[in-house]
Amino acid sequence: KMKSFGEFITEDFQRKYASTVLEVYKINEELNKQLKDMSLYTAQFGTEAGPTLSLPEQIKENCQEESYDMVNKYNTQDNAACVQSPKLLSLITSLSALMLQVKRVADGERDAAELQALKESVADIQSTLSGDNLKVFQDCVEVHMQHIQQGLSQMGNLTAFMAGSGDK
């Protein structure tokens, strides 16, 4: 007989444990079958011709378009002093899109696709920055985005999907 924490494991316990493992295995097989059936079923909806965007890409694209419209609207209002630099306008638009995504996730169901879109947007913004600007972004924006993502994922019970949120 085997020992566990100095106690013997009874044969009855071993039988119960083995039957529980077999039940979990059968449930897992059934879930995998259901998932495969569901994938086949949903695949028929995605057979349209032309390129399709993943859900995180659609979310990012929608927020990017909305932020572009918003930034252009307020940047050309009342002939006031406006931002002229295309790079700066692009950064403002990207950061605005990021805030729109945060709002969408906070107001919505907090699904994995929305949180993935947030992570991808942060990475996209990072890829456009260099040197001191990258360090400022990491210290002033990325850190807070990670906290927001963790809070939203816990509220929406999506902690498992956020395992790599701190990875760069």
Side-chain angles (χ1 to χ4, degrees), residues 59-68 97 100-101 104:
I59 293 167
K60 285 171 41 181
E61 188 70 29
N62 291 344
C63 291
Q64 190 72 24
E65 287 174 10
E66 189 177 340
S67 70
Y68 179 81
L100 289 171
Q101 284 179 258
R104 178 183 172 148

Side-chain angles (χ1 to χ4, degrees), residues 40-161:
L40 292 172
Y41 178 72
T42 57
Q44 66 186 340
F45 299 115
T47 58
E48 300 169 5
T52 58
L53 294 174
S54 67
L55 191 55
E57 286 297 322
Q58 289 175 346
I59 293 167
K60 285 171 41 181
E61 188 70 29
N62 291 344
C63 291
Q64 190 72 24
E65 287 174 10
E66 189 177 340
S67 70
Y68 179 81
D69 293 341
M70 183 176 60
V71 169
N72 279 337
K73 176 184 172 187
Y74 290 108
N75 193 42
T76 57
Q77 199 171 17
D78 299 329
N79 294 328
C82 298
V83 177
Q84 299 296 320
S85 167
K87 285 185 176 183
L88 191 53
L89 277 172
S90 177
L91 179 61
I92 293 168
T93 301
S94 295
L95 291 170
S96 299
L98 185 63
M99 297 313 323
L100 289 171
Q101 284 179 258
V102 169
K103 182 182 182 310
R104 178 183 172 148
V105 172
D107 292 346
E109 295 181 19
R110 294 183 242 339
D111 64 23
E114 290 178 332
L115 292 171
Q116 182 63 32
L118 273 177
K119 288 170 51 178
E120 290 175 8
S121 292
V122 169
D124 290 347
I125 294 170
Q126 267 190 333
S127 70
T128 65
L129 302 174
S130 61
D132 291 339
N133 292 333
L134 180 59
K135 177 76 171 124
V136 170
F137 178 80
Q138 289 169 336
D139 293 345
C140 297
V141 177
E142 185 181 13
V143 167
H144 300 291
M145 287 305 302
Q146 288 174 357
H147 290 289
I148 290 168
Q149 288 172 339
Q150 286 178 330
L152 291 172
S153 68
Q154 290 170 356
M155 288 172 62
N157 200 18
L158 294 169
T159 312
F161 294 103

Side-chain angles (χ1 to χ4, degrees), residues 4-32:
S4 175
F5 296 106
E7 296 180 20
F8 288 104
I9 298 175
T10 65
E11 208 171 301
D12 184 47
F13 175 80
Q14 290 177 7
R15 270 192 229 102
K16 286 180 183 178
Y17 182 80
S19 66
T20 302
V21 168
L22 288 174
E23 281 181 53
V24 169
Y25 179 76
K26 288 177 185 175
I27 291 170
N28 193 29
E29 281 185 330
E30 182 63 28
L31 286 172
N32 284 331

